[in-house]
Amino acid sequence: MTQPNYDRTRGLALLTMMERIRAFERQAELAATRDQLVLGAIHLSIGQEACAAGIIAALRRDDLLLSTHRGHGHTLAKGADPTAMMEELLGRAGGCCGGKGGSMHIADFGVGMLGANGVVSANIPIGAGAAHGIKLLGDDRIVVDIFGDGAINRGPFLEGLNWAAVFGLPVLFVCEDNEWSATTRTSDMTAGEGAAARAKSFGIRTEVVDGNDVEAVADIARDLVAAIRRDRQPAFLHARTFRQGGHTYFDPATYRAKEEAAARIASDDPIARQREILLGAGVAEADLDRIASDAWAEMEAALAAAAAAPFPEDGSVFADVQDIGSPELEAY
Amino acid sequence: MGVMTYGGAALEALRQAMAADPTVWCVGEDLGRGGVFGQYKGLREEFGPDRVSDAPISEAAIMAAAFGAAMVGTRPVVEMRFADFALCATDELINQIAKARFMFGGQSRAPMVIRKPMGMWRSSAAQHSQSLESWYAHIPGLVVAVPSTAQDNFSMMKAAIEADDPVVYLEHKNIWANEGEVDQAAPYQWGTARVRLKGGDVTIVSWSDCANRAEQAGRTLAAEGIGAEVIDLRSLWPWDRTAVIESAARTGRLLVAHESVAVGGFGAEVVATVVQEADLKARPRRIGAPRALIPYAPNLEDQLRVTADMIADAARELCA
Ligand SMILES: Cc1ncc(C[n+]2csc(CCOP(=O)(O)OP(=O)(O)O)c2C)c(N)n1
Ligand SMILES: [Mg+2]
């Protein structure tokens, strides 16, 4: 049963963002498999949309975000243009990074998205540093720094959390735990009680949330973001979710039982769950379907536009390396 | 004008930059007490603990956090304590800082000075003595500074802080106390060498403290009637190919000397570049350390040193 004071507007907005992320990811998958237009590896966030939608809904546009190799959803939720994102995946000139970064380095500084990262765990202390910069500049922005469950076994996790706690920095660390580190079950490779226990040991406020319940994610993110903005201290959110597909779009995930994934998808899909909530709140099914079909049409158009877009000029490979000793002047 | 030490000159440049620009700040272990070699002495008293920040012994986080803070508009001066410890922050420097501007299509900059005191100093053995400048010269995106005099440590530190690129700033630990005249208004242009001595018989190229030894060798040679042109590169990326090629073409003889291991060293780059561009009268030579590990015992350490005598001997052979 839905609560009497349920906020349908917010619920619909959260669903809309999740549908847009899923449609983007499905179109990206088609671009890779059907169209053979994505040349490098892409990591899809299908099944994890509630984390992106719920957490980033709590942010202002000028707040900052750092993400991982699985960062399309976060980037879209922060406000990036899906056509520019799709162009980036296709290596085109109009991509958010001019076709130079691709999926794993997707970034849109204009909306505060300071980059996905191809190195697991690396964004954790960089995000703490962005918060450090904010502290030095003295404004009231905050940073959200998202990483996977596999990232907590690298040193930058320890160094970054310690740093944020020692310096009292306005950063929300989010461990988006999809249970898998590439083809390895993360729990098999993680000692002790895992992400939340480790975060607590630094004296950082730590919360655990069902990461496939977008309303719960949005609620806790709103609380944590408000606390961080007010108290200028870090916080940590462990969001439990599930990676529905393979590690990359071409990974058939043969290392786990098909039934295991199928059962989880059937019982615990974040979009299906949110649709149930909205149906319970009296929203018509046709309206929910329209949200999905609009999202699909939007991302289909984004892919079509990207596929027709030009590749970058050859010379741009020498641009934006460095001013001093730039290869545009020094290459030989 | 005035006499400063090599270390003091960089400190003064940093102090002036911090006074002029409130976004400049320093971060590293033990900076509050002035830094391990006194490079930050007095700065905390003047600028406070936020801008002269101590740090946990977390080289990766020092590098990464300073990078994050650079991306949001501050200008960090990062202290790695010893160049050897910077290896703990290799991913942060090479995969993140050097690449960010390019990977993100020009959306970001990393205006950082990354200070890495390097070189052999007082029996510090294998983990506190290395000279790894050639590694950084190999990495697109980085500027590599290797100052050798008080004047250059003033002018280049100033220029490094003003630069919008990440500058790997390698000071030599053995010469903090070396004194020299410093003209604070002297201009400095990246990628320009300093001709330490003029000469017409042989071109000797060096950098960092080894350039001081090369100059010493050049003076000895001059007394013997051999004109050595001693060129101090000052920065390895960019480096002054024009000056080196011009000089080597004129003298017809080239010797490169560096403290770091000869194999795969930047001397090889200098020699390869020159032989493609200039006709030489003699086969070019390079001198660097043997590909051996820096030891503790002084007599063992001495076996790996590139000395003024060795440089002079090699130059004599070239001119014979
Ligand atoms: C330092 C580093 N080691 C290994 C890899 C290869 N790699 C890419 S993603 C990945 C798994 C990461 O798992 P997790 O952090 O849980 O993120 P997820 O893929 O589940 O989103 C690995 C091992 C890498 N990119 N960086
Ligand atoms: Mg994972």
Side-chain angles (χ1 to χ4, degrees):
Chain A
M1 267 309 289
T2 326
Q3 303 187 344
N5 58 351
Y6 177 71
D7 183 347
R8 276 175 30 167
T9 310
R10 185 184 86 158
L12 285 165
L14 291 169
L15 178 73
T16 302
M17 183 55 75
M18 291 198 293
E19 290 282 17
R20 291 181 70 226
I21 294 170
R22 182 156 305 180
F24 181 91
E25 298 289 50
R26 291 261 184 248
Q27 287 292 336
E29 192 174 26
L30 286 172
T33 54
R34 177 194 65 197
D35 305 339
Q36 304 275 303
L37 289 175
V38 176
L39 303 168
I42 55 172
H43 306 80
L44 304 174
S45 61
I46 292 168
Q48 304 178 207
E49 298 88 347
C51 296
I55 291 159
I56 294 162
L59 297 184
R60 297 195 318 225
R61 193 173 170 90
D62 65 342
D63 286 328
L64 303 176
L65 171 71
L66 289 89
S67 175
T68 71
H69 57 284
R70 203 177 298 286
H72 304 163
H74 308 137
T75 308
L76 190 69
K78 193 69 180 68
D81 169 38
T83 304
M85 287 177 61
M86 198 65 86
E87 280 204 48
E88 192 57 37
L89 268 52
L90 273 54
R92 306 305 167 101
C96 9
C97 304
K100 290 173 167 181
S103 165
M104 277 192 272
H105 309 303
I106 202 151
D108 185 345
F109 280 59
V111 298
M113 201 303 178
L114 304 192
N117 209 303
V119 179
V120 167
S121 204
N123 61 302
I124 299 174
I126 299 172
H132 202 135
I134 289 172
K135 180 179 178 182
L136 290 169
L137 296 171
D139 63 67
D140 75 338
R141 289 175 294 170
I142 75 151
V143 178
V144 168
D145 204 358
I146 304 180
F147 45 88
D149 41 301
I152 71 166
N153 289 324
R154 280 202 68 224
F157 173 82
L158 178 146
E159 294 197 17
L161 264 63
N162 184 61
W163 191 279
V166 163
F167 290 104
L169 301 177
V171 52
L172 174 60
F173 295 108
V174 178
C175 178
E176 188 172 317
D177 178 357
N178 62 11
E179 299 184 10
W180 290 88
S181 301
T183 67
T184 302
R185 225 180 265 279
T186 306
S187 57
D188 291 346
M189 290 293 140
T190 304
E193 290 163 39
R198 292 181 190 183
K200 273 184 207 153
S201 77
F202 291 100
I204 294 175
R205 176 180 170 191
T206 300
E207 304 286 346
V208 181
V209 70
D210 174 351
N212 286 349
D213 177 347
V214 74
E215 301 277 0
V217 175
D219 284 343
I220 192 69
R222 188 189 51 208
D223 285 359
L224 291 172
V225 165
I228 294 166
R229 207 179 302 284
R230 187 185 60 234
D231 304 335
R232 315 310 287 172
Q233 290 295 328
F236 189 97
L237 180 62
H238 181 186
R240 296 176 180 283
T241 177
F242 185 70
R243 194 190 77 204
Q244 293 188 1
H247 174 55
T248 57
Y249 77 87
F250 50 75
D251 166 23
T254 47
Y255 41 82
R256 72 182 183 195
K258 279 213 162 38
E259 301 74 47
E260 178 192 334
R264 290 290 289 273
I265 293 166
S267 67
D268 189 21
D269 178 76
I271 291 180
R273 285 178 63 182
Q274 183 65 359
R275 282 175 59 104
E276 281 305 312
I277 290 175
L278 287 161
L279 285 172
V283 180
E285 187 156 23
D287 291 342
L288 300 180
D289 291 346
R290 190 163 330 104
I291 288 172
S293 59
D294 285 353
W296 186 254
E298 180 193 7
M299 300 309 165
E300 204 166 38
L303 174 54
F311 283 99
E313 310 232 338
D314 286 353
S316 75
V317 72
F318 297 122
D320 277 319
V321 176
Q322 55 193 121
D323 295 328
I324 300 163
S326 164
E328 286 178 296
L329 306 171
E330 306 274 345
Y332 63 98
Chain B
M1 294 289 277
V3 173
M4 291 186 183
T5 62
Y6 176 78
L11 173 59
E12 179 57 18
L14 176 57
R15 198 190 65 72
Q16 290 179 15
M18 292 186 74
D21 181 350
T23 67
V24 177
W25 64 294
C26 317
V27 60
E29 297 150 18
D30 301 308
L31 294 201
R33 296 289 179 86
V36 180
F37 301 103
Q39 316 99 298
Y40 301 86
K41 209 162 182 206
L43 295 183
R44 171 164 281 198
E45 292 74 4
E46 190 169 349
F47 300 107
D50 286 346
R51 291 182 65 197
V52 184
S53 183
D54 283 329
I57 306 166
S58 300
E59 285 73 17
I62 294 169
M63 193 77 90
F67 169 48
M71 283 202 295
V72 304
T74 72
R75 303 182 83 84
V77 174
V78 174
E79 178 56 55
M80 283 285 117
R81 196 178 190 115
F82 280 68
D84 313 73
F85 307 150
L87 303 184
C88 300
T90 306
D91 174 62
E92 289 69 21
L93 179 61
I94 311 289
N95 278 328
Q96 312 292 335
I97 292 167
K99 296 179 172 60
R101 174 176 171 186
F102 180 82
M103 288 192 306
F104 299 147
Q107 295 183 79
S108 72
R109 292 280 187 286
M112 307 171 66
V113 182
I114 298 138
R115 295 180 83 174
K116 302 182 172 189
M118 70 162 180
M120 282 199 241
W121 173 69
R122 283 201 203 162
S123 279
S124 299
Q127 294 175 337
H128 291 73
S129 303
Q130 294 167 93
S131 295
L132 297 175
E133 70 275 15
S134 63
W135 288 25
Y136 304 110
H138 195 70
I139 306 299
L142 299 179
V143 175
V144 185
V146 278
S148 63
T149 63
Q151 175 69 61
D152 287 339
N153 216 14
F154 180 87
S155 317
M156 293 178 72
M157 177 57 73
K158 197 160 159 268
I161 297 169
E162 283 165 7
D164 283 338
D165 292 321
V167 179
V168 175
Y169 200 91
L170 297 154
E171 288 157 291
H172 199 292
K173 298 194 289 289
N174 206 38
I175 55 175
W176 292 119
N178 280 15
E179 290 186 338
E181 281 287 336
V182 175
D183 173 2
Q184 297 193 15
Y188 171 73
Q189 183 67 42
W190 289 104
T192 57
R194 178 191 295 286
V195 178
R196 293 280 202 101
L197 290 178
K198 285 246 168 231
D201 297 320
V202 56
T203 299
I204 304 178
V205 177
S206 193
W207 54 87
S208 188
D209 186 32
C210 203
N212 298 321
R213 294 169 235 158
E215 180 177 335
Q216 204 187 323
R219 292 192 189 284
T220 307
L221 292 164
E224 298 167 15
I226 297 175
E229 183 139 301
V230 177
I231 298 180
D232 177 355
L233 287 183
R234 307 199 286 182
S235 63
L236 297 189
W237 193 265
W239 70 282
D240 198 340
R241 289 196 295 273
T242 312
V244 172
I245 291 166
E246 184 280 318
S247 173
R250 185 160 35 76
T251 64
R253 297 183 187 89
L254 173 68
L255 169 65
V256 187
H258 53 74
E259 177 175 321
S260 43
V261 169
V263 175
F266 199 74
E269 177 66 28
V270 174
V271 170
T273 301
V274 170
V275 297
Q276 286 179 71
E277 302 286 337
D279 290 323
L280 300 176
K281 295 181 207 156
R283 289 184 192 167
R285 282 226 22 210
R286 62 176 166 151
I287 325 181
R291 194 173 179 284
L293 297 167
I294 298 173
Y296 178 71
N299 62 315
L300 298 182
E301 198 182 43
D302 284 347
Q303 293 184 59
L304 305 189
R305 282 184 196 283
V306 172
T307 63
D309 284 347
M310 287 164 66
I311 296 169
D313 281 346
R316 284 186 200 105
E317 282 169 25
L318 267 174
C319 294

